[in-house]
Amino acid sequence: MAHFLLHGTLHVTIYEVDRLSRAGCCNVFCKLLQNIEESAGVGKGIAKLYVAIDLEETRVGRTGLLGNECCNPQWHESFHIYCAHKASNVVFSIKENDAIGTSLIGRAYLSVEELLNGEEVDRWLKVVGKDYKPLYRGSRIHVKLQFFDKTRHSNWSQGIKSPKFPGVPHTFFSQREGCRVTLYQDVHVPEKFISGLIPLSEGKHYEPHRCWEDIFTAISDAKHFIYIAGWSVYAKITMIRDLKRPKPEGDLTLGELLKMKADEGVRVLMLVWDDRTSVELLKKDGVMASHDEDTRHYFHDTKVHCVLCPRNPDNMHSIVQDIEISTMFTHHQKIVVVDSELRNGESKRRIVSFIGGIDLCDGRYDTPSHPIFRTLGTVHHDDFHQPCFHDASIAKGGPREPWHDMHCRLEGPVAWDVLLNFKQRWRKQGEKDLLVHLRELDDIFIPPSPVTFPEDHETWNVQLFRSIDGGAAFGFPDNPEDAARSGLVSGKNHAIDRSIQDAYITAIRRAKNFIYIENQYFVGSSFSWYSNDIKVQDVGALHLIPKELSLKIVSKIEAGERFTVYIVIPMWPEGVPHSQSVQAILNWQKRTMEMMYKDVVQALQAKGLEANPKDYLTFFCLGNRERTICGEYEPSERPEHDTDYSRAQQSRRFMIYVHAKMMIVDDEYIIIGSANINQRSMDGARDTEIAMGAYQPYHLATREPARGQIHGLRMALWYEHLGKLDNSFLQPESLECVRRLNQIADEYWDLYACDTLDYDLPGHLLSYPIRVNHNGEVTERPGLEHFPDTKARVLGSRSEMLPSILTT
């Protein structure tokens, strides 16, 4: 049967199933069995029913669970589904769910071809069994569907057409106006970095900001509360390390600072992810080395309230899912929320929030120069982080693992949304009600309100997004209709906020000219992978972002327009590069890249164009290489001979770890947060995440290129990565620009990978070491099966041991 591309949004309503009872089943028997089970305490009642929605074999939605409805279950649930799938049928699967798992009752099918004209289809469909024969008593399901092609959306490929753009629809948090946003690249930026080099509109120049300095100041100045949530928080780090920029109390560690503020009477609450593998008697650091037990011990018997919170599942998962969620997934948000004085010096207080990719822990402090040896005797001597080698230590010397990341500060109404997120999480997993009740302090705190005037050209419109479910946030509606009105989606019997993925999808669809991404991972859209060696349906990396990117490029090729996607990722995921987990992720990443390149190549061939697909889609990584200088730190020990560690030390090179989670679209819209481009972060029921999407209404790319703060940040990042600027960078969509970046990155890779180098690497941006064949297939570069200094395959390898749910 022919497959058709559904690229747009699919509106689906599932009303009811009629005559579902099978032989031997009746309501009296079901209710009797349920009463016996509940009275005996042996279960949650009889198996409950739900309907799953699939595009062919790809899950795109499911209803809540219904009990006591075995003959005529009625849901009346509606779904707003983003889709980018090829399918012949929309499949509705009626299933039973119990404490052990699920079982299929029957399926109904609707041809995708009937939806392509965009008209509404309201129909009863017959339900059939695995043998495609009708079920007992002729069961039917009542559904309504309507497909809206992406081109019917007013903003498709038009960017943000107006300052009145309302934001992403169907989300928990609305877009807020009158906000102020501060953007950060890396934890710290030294003085005079790019000062005056990047012109903006209205005669201004871009000036970078300093993340940990600002967070330190915000915590120091708090008078009423300090709320922190993190994947990792390490009390023993120092945040102020630049000797040219000292601060009062700047020599305090984070833990000392928080204890001091708590002793002053400030309410200090911390939610730190509880790594279930960090069992004190076995392995204190845990698999992730997140220091959760260290942090709990440090604040024990102090006025700082530190709660270790596991990633608990919601109430209605199966036993197997409970185990999966609590041991495999994490709380990944990185949040600081404090009260702050008004900028005009008034006595009233306001809310300031920080979110992004930077944890308040060891290994994060870095600057745009990303040293790997030079600072081992100074700022990194007591903060040596190198998880990619066995037994690495400051005593054995570098290279350290450099850290590139992004963060932001939010002021105005959106800062209160971050506060609400923390309150929802604390009320779900905090020990007791210790939250400061701001309503009782309304004479001190100004309510949520704009912090800029409408005519202020530096104002921002900002929207908060999350990946989270009712297992981690208090107050999500139980009723599916109420959940849908709140911008949440159904996950059997719990509500899920999946708005980060929605934000990425809608931003990609709006894009006119180019997209620039930095992310720690790049795995997804497995439903579209080309593979004969695995069953892609079992992989489960179903989010749409990679497919949306390739389809955007395809649409531009078909229209005869330029469009470029730039993606910066780490050389390999953090960890020992030849380990099973790292190799598995690299393998999924290779399949994701290949799917995208095949889409691009097929579109070029269909237009009769002989072009390099890397002129449209190009991947980079970051690395550094330093020559030895006089007075450098001398380690007292050496790594074991003929190891990755010893080879990297001898060659004096190492990757810069890209931990950023950011996307810039047309220099007018930016997403920054904690979410990676993988299923863990985008699912909503796996890792908990937070992100913001923002634009400046006075700096849009409507008639001329945008030249506001987002443009300034992109240019500052490219200056950091390349060590220079070029006029072509002002038009990132142009062939000249993408070829210039690819040329420089190829040159830098050759310098990074060569046997010896007598000078510092002039820039950090490296071509990702793959080869794209004429048909879009991703293969090894000649003579480059392994990353330099390692025995780890660039393209990764499949793991027969690790489940894909862990590595996607």
Side-chain angles (χ1 to χ4, degrees):
M1 187 176 293
H3 284 61
F4 300 91
L5 176 63
L6 284 178
H7 188 201
T9 54
L10 183 62
H11 293 186
V12 179
T13 301
I14 295 178
Y15 293 107
E16 60 182 317
V17 176
D18 188 32
R19 300 193 296 270
L20 185 61
S21 298
R22 292 167 290 173
C25 176
C26 68
N27 274 331
V28 174
F29 175 75
C30 289
K31 290 177 179 176
L32 178 62
L33 180 59
Q34 182 182 33
N35 290 336
I36 292 172
E37 286 188 334
E38 290 179 343
S39 299
V42 295
K44 297 178 181 177
I46 62 171
K48 297 184 178 181
L49 301 174
Y50 72 97
V51 178
I53 308 168
D54 297 315
L55 290 175
E56 218 57 50
E57 296 181 302
T58 302
R59 180 65 39 83
V60 294
R62 62 187 180 192
T63 68
L65 295 168
L66 284 182
N68 304 321
E69 296 278 357
C70 68
C71 294
N72 179 218
Q74 299 182 22
W75 286 274
H76 295 273
E77 279 192 51
S78 296
F79 302 84
H80 173 91
I81 300 168
Y82 292 105
C83 48
H85 306 73
K86 283 187 175 180
S88 56
N89 289 293
V90 182
V91 184
F92 302 92
S93 301
I94 301 107
K95 296 190 173 186
E96 288 180 325
N97 183 82
D98 56 33
I100 303 300
T102 61
S103 57
L104 176 69
I105 296 174
R107 290 192 172 102
Y109 299 83
L110 179 72
S111 171
V112 165
E113 192 171 10
E114 292 189 53
L115 301 172
L116 298 179
N117 60 13
E119 295 182 4
E120 184 179 281
V121 176
D122 189 333
R123 188 174 303 167
W124 285 91
L125 303 173
K126 66 180 180 180
V127 179
V128 299
K130 294 181 179 179
D131 56 1
Y132 294 95
K133 294 181 179 179
L135 292 188
Y136 175 78
R137 293 184 61 197
S139 179
R140 304 177 303 164
I141 183 171
H142 183 197
V143 297
K144 182 173 71 176
L145 299 91
Q146 188 171 16
F147 172 64
F148 296 86
D149 189 82
K150 83 277 182 185
T151 57
R152 292 179 61 181
H153 195 284
S154 60
N155 285 102
W156 166 253
S157 281
Q158 296 296 309
I160 298 175
K161 295 192 296 184
S162 164
K164 302 294 185 182
F165 173 70
V168 180
H170 310 291
T171 58
F172 187 86
F173 293 107
S174 300
Q175 181 174 277
R176 311 300 184 189
E177 297 180 357
C179 299
R180 187 178 286 115
V181 176
T182 305
L183 304 171
Y184 302 107
Q185 65 188 98
D186 302 311
V187 161
H188 186 70
V189 174
E191 290 185 352
K192 298 183 180 179
F193 172 75
I194 64 161
S195 182
L197 287 182
I198 300 172
L200 306 180
S201 61
E202 302 174 3
K204 297 179 180 179
H205 286 81
Y206 182 76
E207 294 295 334
H209 300 272
R210 296 161 181 89
C211 182
W212 275 11
E213 276 193 15
D214 287 355
I215 293 177
F216 181 91
T217 300
I219 292 174
S220 298
D221 292 347
K223 301 297 184 186
H224 296 273
F225 68 87
I226 299 164
Y227 298 158
I228 296 173
W231 175 86
S232 174
V233 178
Y234 191 43
K236 297 179 182 179
I237 61 165
T238 55
M239 303 177 72
I240 306 302
R241 307 186 195 181
D242 189 340
L243 297 178
K244 295 181 179 180
R245 298 179 61 86
K247 282 186 171 292
E249 312 288 356
D251 57 340
L252 292 178
T253 66
L254 174 63
E256 290 167 342
L257 176 63
L258 293 175
K259 286 196 294 184
M260 182 183 77
K261 297 304 295 184
D263 289 339
E264 291 174 2
V266 178
R267 184 64 50 83
V268 181
L269 305 182
M270 298 172 60
L271 289 171
V272 179
W273 172 55
D274 182 5
D275 182 355
R276 288 288 179 87
T277 66
S278 58
V279 181
E280 189 170 4
L281 294 176
L282 299 179
K283 189 180 181 184
K284 189 168 66 172
D285 275 351
V287 171
M288 300 286 192
S290 61
H291 301 295
D292 54 331
E293 288 295 333
D294 289 336
T295 302
R296 181 175 67 87
H297 281 301
Y298 182 90
F299 291 113
H300 183 63
D301 285 337
T302 73
K303 293 181 180 180
V304 175
H305 301 276
C306 178
V307 176
L308 300 190
C309 46
R311 175 59 175 106
N312 287 339
D314 214 324
N315 300 326
M316 298 304 297
H317 285 283
S318 70
I319 294 170
V320 173
Q321 287 172 315
D322 282 357
I323 296 170
E324 281 182 349
I325 291 169
S326 61
T327 57
M328 292 184 180
F329 304 130
T330 77
H331 287 303
H332 203 238
Q333 295 181 347
K334 301 98 168 53
I335 302 169
V336 176
V337 188
V338 299
D339 69 287
S340 176
E341 65 180 2
L342 294 180
R343 290 199 172 203
N344 59 13
E346 290 184 20
S347 59
K348 288 207 169 191
R349 310 292 288 179
R350 62 194 175 108
I351 306 299
V352 173
S353 299
F354 297 82
I355 68 170
I358 301 176
D359 289 286
L360 297 175
C361 68
D362 54 327
R364 301 314 191 252
Y365 187 92
D366 216 334
T367 64
S369 61
H370 298 296
I372 53 179
F373 292 96
R374 302 253 166 94
T375 52
L376 296 185
T378 55
V379 297
H380 289 115
H381 185 77
D382 297 321
D383 188 8
F384 180 81
H385 182 73
Q386 182 47 276
C388 299
F389 305 138
H390 292 297
D391 301 321
S393 68
I394 186 65
K396 296 178 182 178
R400 61 177 284 270
E401 180 183 67
W403 199 269
H404 175 68
D405 220 327
M406 307 291 299
H407 219 69
C408 66
R409 179 175 64 194
L410 304 176
E411 303 169 67
V414 71
W416 289 76
D417 291 337
V418 182
L419 173 62
L420 175 58
N421 169 79
F422 183 89
K423 287 181 174 180
Q424 287 182 320
R425 289 193 54 195
W426 183 269
R427 287 173 179 151
K428 190 71 176 185
Q429 292 192 287
E431 291 175 339
K432 48 189 173 181
D433 186 13
L434 295 171
L435 294 163
V436 174
H437 297 287
L438 297 185
R439 289 182 181 177
E440 299 173 3
L441 301 172
D442 57 3
D443 59 326
I444 297 175
F445 282 87
I446 60 170
S449 55
V451 294
T452 57
F453 292 109
E455 62 273 15
D456 186 343
H457 284 208
E458 292 305 311
T459 190
W460 290 76
N461 292 353
V462 191
Q463 192 170 7
L464 197 68
F465 308 112
R466 292 186 297 184
S467 292
I468 202 168
D469 64 12
F474 175 82
F476 277 12
D478 294 326
N479 182 286
E481 292 182 16
D482 293 337
R485 280 193 289 269
S486 299
L488 308 174
V489 297
S490 289
K492 290 187 180 177
N493 217 32
H494 67 298
I496 299 172
D497 186 339
R498 197 178 291 159
S499 53
I500 295 179
Q501 183 181 171
D502 295 353
Y504 271 86
I505 292 169
T506 55
I508 294 166
R509 291 183 178 183
R510 285 195 309 271
K512 290 191 299 185
N513 300 313
F514 80 95
I515 290 172
Y516 176 63
I517 290 173
E518 292 186 0
N519 206 281
Q520 182 185 1
Y521 294 99
F522 196 80
V523 173
S525 305
S526 58
F527 56 84
S528 196
W529 290 356
Y530 298 82
S531 180
N532 295 319
D533 61 332
I534 60 169
K535 188 177 180 182
V536 294
Q537 294 82 3
D538 295 337
V539 176
L542 301 180
H543 73 88
L544 302 188
I545 295 168
K547 191 66 176 179
E548 289 286 350
L549 289 167
S550 64
L551 289 179
K552 168 61 71 170
I553 296 170
V554 167
S555 71
K556 291 293 187 175
I557 292 171
E558 291 173 345
E561 300 173 6
R562 276 297 309 163
F563 195 88
T564 312
V565 175
Y566 304 87
I567 301 175
V568 180
I569 53 178
M571 202 173 294
W572 67 79
E574 190 176 46
V576 177
H578 57 262
S579 65
Q580 282 199 50
S581 59
V582 170
Q583 285 290 295
I585 295 169
L586 287 170
N587 184 250
W588 302 140
Q589 177 181 282
K590 176 258 185 186
R591 296 173 191 267
T592 304
M593 292 176 172
E594 189 167 77
M595 174 270 295
M596 298 174 72
Y597 276 121
K598 283 181 177 287
D599 284 353
V600 173
V601 166
Q602 289 169 10
L604 291 170
Q605 291 174 344
K607 289 285 286 187
L609 300 174
E610 293 186 9
N612 185 346
K614 291 183 71 175
D615 289 344
Y616 297 85
L617 170 66
T618 184
F619 288 88
F620 304 99
C621 55
L622 302 179
N624 198 7
R625 193 168 188 179
E626 294 175 343
R627 63 185 175 87
T628 306
I629 62 172
C630 182
E632 198 171 84
Y633 169 75
E634 288 287 344
S636 58
E637 305 172 28
R638 293 293 177 187
E640 184 179 341
H641 180 66
D642 196 29
T643 60
D644 292 359
Y645 194 179
S646 65
R647 286 187 289 269
Q649 192 171 94
Q650 184 174 358
S651 65
R652 297 188 59 90
R653 63 187 166 202
F654 199 71
M655 71 165 174
I656 297 168
Y657 195 60
V658 179
H659 193 259
K661 301 93 169 55
M662 180 211 69
M663 181 170 75
I664 289 174
V665 179
D666 296 333
D667 276 351
E668 68 177 4
Y669 187 81
I670 188 168
I671 295 174
I672 289 179
S674 67
N676 297 311
I677 298 181
N678 60 8
Q679 193 64 25
R680 293 177 65 107
S681 287
M682 296 296 166
D683 188 89
R686 298 187 181 183
D687 290 352
T688 59
E689 309 284 5
I690 194 166
M692 71 87 180
Y695 66 96
Q696 294 184 277
Y698 288 94
H699 300 283
L700 301 178
T702 46
R703 295 182 180 86
E704 56 188 26
R707 293 293 181 261
Q709 293 296 312
I710 299 171
H711 166 75
L713 175 68
R714 178 183 62 80
M715 294 292 282
L717 288 167
W718 285 18
Y719 180 77
E720 171 186 338
H721 299 333
L722 294 161
K724 55 187 171 184
L725 292 175
D726 190 280
N727 284 336
S728 66
F729 298 173
L730 298 174
Q731 293 182 300
E733 72 276 14
S734 69
L735 203 57
E736 179 187 4
C737 180
V738 66
R739 288 181 175 174
R740 179 73 176 132
L741 249 68
N742 283 335
Q743 173 201 346
I744 297 171
D746 283 341
E747 293 171 0
Y748 288 174
W749 174 265
D750 290 340
L751 294 175
Y752 178 86
C754 67
D755 291 338
T756 59
L757 189 65
D758 297 329
Y759 51 92
D760 291 347
L761 197 66
H764 301 145
L765 192 75
L766 314 176
S767 297
Y768 199 82
I770 56 170
R771 180 180 181 180
V772 182
N773 291 341
H774 68 281
N775 62 352
E777 183 182 3
V778 171
T779 62
E780 300 164 356
R781 285 189 180 186
L784 193 63
E785 181 182 356
H786 304 109
F787 292 111
D789 304 322
T790 80
K791 296 180 181 178
R793 294 193 62 218
V794 171
L795 301 182
S797 58
R798 288 179 56 197
S799 171
E800 302 295 340
M801 299 287 292
L802 297 175
S804 61
I805 195 173
L806 185 64
T807 55
T808 57

